[in-house]
Amino acid sequence: GENVEQHPSTLSVQEGDSAVIKCTYSDSASNYFPWYKQELGKRPQLIIDIRSNVGEKKDQRIAVTLNKTAKHFSLHITETQPEDSAVYFCAPLTGGGNKLTFGTGTQLKVEL
Amino acid sequence: IAGITQAPTSQILAAGRRMTLRCTQDMRHNAMYWYRQDLGLGLRLIHYSNTAGTTGKGEVPDGYSVSRANTDDFPLTLASAVPSQTSVYFCASSASGRATDTQYFGPGTRLTVL
């Protein structure tokens, strides 16, 4: 299958600090790059996505940046809050643009 | 509006038994998906359906079957459960079969096969 990797696998930050999670992928044809958030015991939910015709997209405290040449995209969370604590998954479109392939997740913990 | 629901919430099953996980959505979405989530492996696609009457295989289809008789329902069947199928199963739906459509997930079914 397509290779999708996330780093780091766990991330601990102090409240108010910024957090960055990176996702690398191998399919050069990928053109859609979403991020999902999953709180403990809950379902995954889309929080932000970007398409390959833009380099950055922002929505309040979260942003996604894309580097298609290097085949990676990143999730940026500023002014982190305790409710940001969750597992975050990248899920780039792979397999010729047919289906999402989820990364293995990053556990973010925001400490008070 | 319920959105997308799954049943049962959790189940413990003896190996070799047959089991059907139910998924229903009331959003009139054309596309539906089944994923399994295992610790350290993220979500992996089992089967999908782009529209009623059609189904396709995902990344890990072996041991599972699906049907899509109508728009709302997308059951997942384990014909003869094995312990490696112990997992949390999520159903999802999206408005169309385009992978760029937002996928909405159900609450999940936690399945344990002994």
Side-chain angles (χ1 to χ4, degrees), chain A residues 38 43 46 51 89 93 98, chain B residues 37 40 48 99-100 102 105-106:
Chain A
Q38 186 178 27
R43 70 193 77 187
L46 177 72
R51 295 165 198 262
F89 294 96
L93 204 57
N98 190 31
Chain B
Q37 184 173 34
Y48 65 93
T100 54
T102 300
F105 285 80

Side-chain angles (χ1 to χ4, degrees), chain B residues 25-80:
Chain B
Q25 53 98 3
D26 63 4
M27 298 177 283
R28 306 306 294 171
H29 282 176
N30 282 321
M32 298 184 76
Y33 312 83
W34 275 105
Y35 293 89
R36 59 178 289 173
Q37 184 173 34
D38 303 292
L39 197 62
L41 293 176
L43 291 113
R44 292 181 292 168
L45 182 65
I46 305 170
H47 285 287
Y48 65 93
S49 168
N50 286 335
T51 189
T54 69
T55 62
K57 293 182 179 180
E59 182 185 353
V60 289
D62 293 343
Y64 306 95
S65 64
V66 292
S67 62
R68 187 88 185 277
N70 57 61
T71 297
D72 298 345
D73 302 298
F74 191 42
L76 176 74
T77 297
L78 290 67
S80 179

Side-chain angles (χ1 to χ4, degrees), chain B residues 10-15 81-83 85-87 89 109-114:
Chain B
S10 65
Q11 182 76 44
I12 299 174
L13 190 66
V82 295
Q85 292 178 310
T86 293
S87 188
Y89 290 86
T109 293
R110 183 175 294 276
L111 181 67
T112 302
V113 183
L114 302 175

